[in-house]
Amino acid sequence: MRKLLFAGIAVAIFLAPGLASAEGPIVVKFSHVVANDTPKGKGALRFKELAEKYTDGKVKVEVYPNSSLYKDKEEIEALQLGSVQMLAPSTAKFAPLGIKEFEALDLPWLFKDEETYTRAMKGPVGKWLFQKLEAKGISGLAYWDNGFHMTSANRPLLMPADFQGLKVRISGSKIADRYFRDMGSIPQIMAFSEVYQALQTGVVDACENTASNYLTQKFYEVQKDITVSYHAHLQYAVIVNSKFWNGLPPDIRKALDKAMDEATDYTNSIAVKENEDALAEIKKSGKTTLHYLNDDQRKAWQKAMQPTYAWAKGRVGQEVLDLVAKELDVKMN
C-alpha cells in the first residue's frame, strides 16, 4: 500500500497537486469509510453534485465510500501524500498525527444535545481545533454530524458491571479506550470495514456506533442487544490537502466553498432524522432487542465514566479542556 501511496504522490506532483491538465476537469477524490446511505455518505454525494454544478463541470468529484479506496489507518497518510484530496474521518483519527486535542470531543456525556454540539463546532472550539491541522499540510473545511453513540453486545448492557470483560471495538480514540476501561471492558482498535466480521466471528464482543451505521453496516444482525445509551457523540471533520486546496484558482475554490457550506448544512440537517429512521428500521427488523437506560442506570454510567475527565488532561492537554469547559459550561473534574 505504501508503494501505491508514493506512486500517487509522484503522479500528483507531475500534474501539479491534483489539478487537471488543460484537456480535462480538476479531479477531487473524496474517500470515506461508511456507506452511501448514511449522513456522511449522503453529504459526500451532495457535495459532489453541488461542486460539479457550481464549477460548471470544471471540477469532477469522485466519491469512494465504504473503504473502497483507503481504510481508516491509510487515508490520512494518503491525503498528506496527495493520493486523495478530500476525506471526512471521525475526529478521533487525528491523534496519530500528534494532534490529540480533537479527542476532547469524545469525552462521555459532553454534549447534552445536538444543539449544544452544533454551537461548539461552529464556535471557538471547532475553529481552534482546525488550526491545529495546518502544520500537517491539512485544511479543515467543515464538521459533519453523525449523532450520538449506542452500544451493543450479545447481552444487555444496562449497568457498568455488564461491560465486565467484554472486548469492545473502538475507532482509535484514547478517550473511548479510557471510558470503556473504566466500565470494565477491554477496548480493541479496529478498522471500520472489519467490524461486522469481527462481531460475527466473536473476535470482538461489542461495539459503539450511531444508529445509521448500525443499520447500513448491518451490525444489528450480529448483536442481540443494543443499548440506546447516547453516551458520546460521533462527528467527522471534512479535510483537504492544503497544497491542493491553496493551489486551486480563486474562482474554483470559492465555488467549492459554497458547495461545501451547502453540503454541510444538508448533512447536519438530516443527521438526527437519519438516525431516528435507522433506529426504527432496526426495531422493525426484530433481529435485536433495544434497551433504553433509566435515570438510575444513566447515572451509574456517568459515575463509572467520570474518571475519564481527570485522565484526559494528560492526554489532550489543559488548553483544549478549558476551551471546551468554557464553551459548554461543563466541569472537567
Side-chain angles (χ1 to χ4, degrees), residues 233-252:
H233 196 273
L234 176 60
Q235 57 282 320
Y236 306 115
V238 185
I239 56 176
V240 290
N241 178 293
S242 296
K243 187 176 180 181
F244 165 79
W245 192 251
N246 295 333
L248 291 171
D251 62 322
I252 294 293

Side-chain angles (χ1 to χ4, degrees), residues 34-46 114 144-148 150 209-217 230 234 236 263-283:
V34 301
N36 280 327
D37 194 22
T38 59
K40 178 162 68 173
K42 291 182 177 181
L45 293 175
R46 178 59 64 92
E114 289 290 354
W144 285 2
D145 186 4
N146 196 19
F148 288 90
M150 308 189 299
N209 226 296
T210 59
S212 62
N213 284 341
Y214 267 100
L215 177 67
T216 57
Q217 299 296 322
Y230 295 162
L234 176 60
Y236 306 115
T264 297
D265 288 343
Y266 165 76
T267 304
N268 292 343
S269 71
I270 67 170
V272 172
K273 188 175 188 306
E274 288 285 316
N275 281 305
E276 289 175 350
D277 290 348
L279 197 59
E281 193 68 25
I282 291 169
K283 184 176 182 179

Side-chain angles (χ1 to χ4, degrees), residues 181-215:
R181 290 185 189 279
D182 287 339
M183 296 283 273
S185 55
I186 307 165
Q188 307 280 318
I189 297 173
M190 181 177 293
F192 188 69
S193 59
E194 299 170 5
V195 177
Y196 179 89
Q197 185 175 11
L199 292 170
Q200 185 180 43
T201 58
V203 172
V204 293
D205 306 305
C207 71
E208 66 171 358
N209 226 296
T210 59
S212 62
N213 284 341
Y214 267 100
L215 177 67

Side-chain angles (χ1 to χ4, degrees), residues 76-254:
I76 291 181
E77 183 182 14
L79 183 81
Q80 290 178 298
L81 290 172
S83 300
V84 63
Q85 287 72 48
M86 187 173 290
L87 304 173
S90 66
T91 53
K93 295 294 194 303
F94 297 119
L97 290 176
I99 308 173
K100 301 174 183 178
E101 291 88 345
F102 277 90
E103 288 187 358
L105 303 176
D106 299 329
L107 284 165
W109 315 102
L110 182 64
F111 302 110
K112 65 180 181 180
D113 52 34
E114 289 290 354
E115 184 180 346
T116 304
Y117 157 77
T118 300
R119 186 171 64 250
M121 303 321 292
K122 286 185 176 181
V125 173
K127 294 174 182 176
W128 186 86
L129 288 170
F130 269 163
Q131 288 174 357
K132 293 288 180 181
L133 294 175
E134 293 293 339
K136 304 297 181 180
I138 296 171
S139 296
L141 299 182
Y143 292 99
W144 285 2
D145 186 4
N146 196 19
F148 288 90
H149 278 305
M150 308 189 299
T151 53
S152 66
N154 287 318
R155 67 189 191 208
L157 301 176
L158 301 177
M159 293 293 286
D162 298 327
F163 284 83
Q164 194 67 38
L166 283 181
K167 293 175 289 183
V168 182
R169 181 268 174 179
I170 61 171
S171 64
S173 170
K174 291 296 184 181
I175 296 293
D177 179 279
R178 186 71 253 165
Y179 65 64
F180 276 123
R181 290 185 189 279
D182 287 339
M183 296 283 273
S185 55
I186 307 165
Q188 307 280 318
I189 297 173
M190 181 177 293
F192 188 69
S193 59
E194 299 170 5
V195 177
Y196 179 89
Q197 185 175 11
L199 292 170
Q200 185 180 43
T201 58
V203 172
V204 293
D205 306 305
C207 71
E208 66 171 358
N209 226 296
T210 59
S212 62
N213 284 341
Y214 267 100
L215 177 67
T216 57
Q217 299 296 322
K218 303 185 187 302
F219 297 158
Y220 71 97
E221 294 183 351
V222 287
Q223 298 273 264
K224 294 179 182 178
D225 296 275
I226 293 176
T227 302
V228 187
S229 51
Y230 295 162
H231 61 282
H233 196 273
L234 176 60
Q235 57 282 320
Y236 306 115
V238 185
I239 56 176
V240 290
N241 178 293
S242 296
K243 187 176 180 181
F244 165 79
W245 192 251
N246 295 333
L248 291 171
D251 62 322
I252 294 293
R253 194 163 63 244
K254 183 178 180 180

